[in-house]
Amino acid sequence: MSLNFSTGLRTGMLNSTGVKEAFTNGIIYLYSGVQPVTADAAITGTLLGKVTVDAGAFAFGAATNGLNFDTAVAGVLAKAVAENWQCVCTAAGTIGWFRMMGNATDALGVSTTLARIDGDAAVSGADLNIPTLAVIIGTPITIDVFTFDLPA
C-alpha cells in the first residue's frame, strides 16, 4: 500500500496545522498484517512495538521520548537528527505496517479528527524501511531515516 493520511491530518494541513506540528512529540506503532484501508480506521494486526526516542516510555500529552522532525528544507521534512528513534519489540511476529500518531490521546479506534499516517514497512522500498521484519520480544529496531517529501 502507500501512505494514508487521516482526515484529521489532511484537514489540519489545509487549515493551520502543518505535518511537523501535528506530529510533535509523536509516536510510531509497528503492527503485523496489512494496514487498514484508511488512517481513519481502527488498527488491524498485532502491536509488535512502539518507536520512541531511545525506546523510552511514552505517554500521550507529555513530551518525554516523543518523536520530532527538524525544520523542512526544500520540501522535505526529516526526523530530528538529534533524536535516536528506536523500538524494542514487545511481541513476536512479522512487521507489515506502521501508524504514526501525534501526541493527542489516541485510542486507536475509528477517528476522523486525529492526526495519523499509516504506511507499509519493509526492509527496502517501503514507506518505512527497517532492518528486519521478523521480530521476537526484545528485538531492537532503529529508524535512521524517516522523511516526508512534498512534490513541487
Side-chain angles (χ1 to χ4, degrees):
M1 282 191 107
S2 59
L3 285 178
N4 289 330
F5 290 22
S6 67
T7 301
L9 175 61
R10 292 180 295 119
T11 300
M13 289 170 57
L14 293 172
N15 287 316
S16 61
T17 306
V19 172
K20 180 181 177 183
E21 183 181 353
F23 293 104
T24 296
N25 298 315
I27 188 168
I28 296 174
Y29 285 11
L30 303 174
Y31 292 98
S32 66
V34 179
Q35 74 186 72
V37 175
T38 75
D40 294 335
I43 59 108
T44 60
T46 300
L47 175 62
L48 301 176
K50 300 175 184 181
V51 179
T52 61
V53 172
D54 295 322
F58 175 87
F60 286 108
T64 306
N65 300 318
L67 306 175
N68 293 286
F69 291 94
D70 284 332
T71 300
V73 176
V76 178
L77 183 66
K79 74 174 265 310
V81 172
E83 292 182 353
N84 184 33
W85 289 18
Q86 284 191 316
C87 163
V88 176
C89 293
T90 55
T94 302
I95 299 170
W97 69 282
F98 73 92
R99 175 167 282 175
M100 182 170 206
M101 298 179 292
N103 198 276
T105 299
D106 190 331
L108 302 172
V110 175
S111 174
T112 58
T113 60
L114 293 169
R116 298 172 171 170
I117 296 176
D118 290 354
D120 64 345
V123 174
S124 66
D127 299 320
L128 176 62
N129 296 318
I130 55 179
T132 185
L133 297 179
V135 297
I136 58 173
I137 296 172
T139 300
I141 294 174
T142 300
I143 297 175
D144 294 319
V145 177
F146 193 92
T147 62
F148 292 105
D149 302 1
L150 193 59

